[in-house]
Amino acid sequence: MLDAKERLYASLLDWERDYQSSTYQLAMTKGEVANWLGITPATLSRCLKQLVAEVFFDKPLHLV
């Protein structure tokens, strides 16, 4: 089973592949994304910060 950060990372890669874009502009709130991933909004924020800090993404990530 994937941990929260791994689930988020996998989802971002899927969205990038599906939409053929590395820009993440979703019509979902942070709460909705967190709920979809089965995590809290606070965990989502922490995971996003960790992924950016680990240089998985060279562009800012913005969720509503």
Side-chain angles (χ1 to χ4, degrees), residues 4-48:
K5 186 170 67 172
E6 292 168 334
R7 287 195 309 267
L8 174 59
Y9 184 59
S11 294
L12 290 171
L13 291 176
D14 286 345
W15 290 330
E16 181 178 36
R17 184 192 66 237
D18 292 347
Y19 298 107
Q20 298 177 353
S21 173
S22 59
T23 302
Y24 301 97
Q25 195 168 24
L26 303 175
M28 299 168 71
T29 65
K30 274 188 178 181
E32 291 169 331
V33 173
N35 187 50
W36 184 71
L37 293 170
I39 59 178
T40 66
T43 300
L44 174 64
S45 292
R46 277 194 304 276
C47 290
L48 283 170

